[in-house]
Amino acid sequence: MSASFLIFGLLLTTCSIAFASDPSPLQDFCVADPKSQVLVNGLVCKDPKLVQADDFLFRGLHLMGNTSNNVGSNVTQVTVAQVPGLNTLGISMARIDFAPMGINPPHTHPRATEILTVIEGRILVGFVTSNPENRLITKVLQKGDVFVFPEGLIHFQKNIGHGYAVAIAGLSSHNPGVITIANAVFGSNPDIAGDILAKAFQVDVKVFDKIQSKF
Ligand SMILES: *[C@@H]1O[C@H](CO)[C@@H](O)[C@H](O)[C@H]1NC(C)=O
Ligand SMILES: *[C@@H]1O[C@H](CO)[C@@H](O)[C@H](O)[C@H]1NC(C)=O
């Protein structure tokens, strides 16, 4: 291997580290200005002189989300959308409530690694590695256990205890994003053509008309 190739490789590694998550802030803070008409990669900063303590505040994470829905879970997000002071800081959090047997369905955060701890209950968690292995990695978590979902990988959680369960998650982006697999594949707007899904999933096209009607 030539020296220049080595240096190129080194540069590439350095760059991918620098761009793997939210960019590092170049000032104390950059509180998001929701009124700005300027579009940048993220949100523009509000005048620092106008920044208030409330820009860094969220209240109510002690409150349970309503889990009376089809999946039996509820995610209360605390991202830049709720706390403008998180802008550019590369971090956010969430509270996840689970009804008995409730699931947080398979989903991925395109911009964040997630670290989750169980506050109450027993939760089965899992994630799937990328192609070609698609290895499923699962664990049963008890209260106090901490588990990591690597950035971008499809993951899920299920309450396998008898009562309600609660987890708190930290995420390595102020705007982690969520792609819920079933919603994206079967509930896109407009629909992905049934013949495409039928071939991708290797089943009859009629199966998809039925699934798509539910999303
Ligand atoms: C989650 O809970 C909140 C607060 O109870 C509720 O307003 C919201 O509709 C719930 N979301 C879902 C998807 O059930
Ligand atoms: C929870 O959501 C369900 C379905 O939307 C609703 O009927 C119920 O009143 C809500 N419960 C609370 C405590 O808000």
Side-chain angles (χ1 to χ4, degrees), residues 18-72:
F19 298 130
S21 57
D22 293 357
S24 305
L26 305 173
Q27 59 249 315
D28 281 355
F29 49 74
C30 165
V31 172
D33 178 1
K35 293 192 211 88
S36 172
Q37 297 299 306
V38 181
L39 299 178
V40 292
N41 181 22
L43 296 160
V44 302
C45 315
K46 143 178 182 180
D47 181 349
K49 290 194 285 298
L50 302 177
V51 165
Q52 308 284 331
D54 281 355
D55 288 324
F56 302 95
L57 175 73
F58 177 90
R59 284 201 165 116
L61 212 60
H62 63 300
L63 299 173
M64 187 185 164
N66 186 338
T67 57
S68 301
N69 51 47
N70 293 340
V71 289

Side-chain angles (χ1 to χ4, degrees), residues 119-139:
I119 302 298
E120 201 59 68
R122 272 177 89 218
I123 298 175
L124 168 72
V125 299
F127 68 82
V128 181
T129 69
S130 60
N131 297 348
E133 291 83 10
N134 300 127
R135 180 176 162 211
L136 173 65
I137 294 179
T138 64
K139 197 75 192 169

Side-chain angles (χ1 to χ4, degrees), residues 2-24:
S2 79
S4 64
F5 188 80
L6 252 173
I7 290 163
F8 178 71
L10 213 66
L11 264 173
L12 217 66
T13 319
T14 320
C15 288
S16 69
I17 288 166
F19 298 130
S21 57
D22 293 357
S24 305

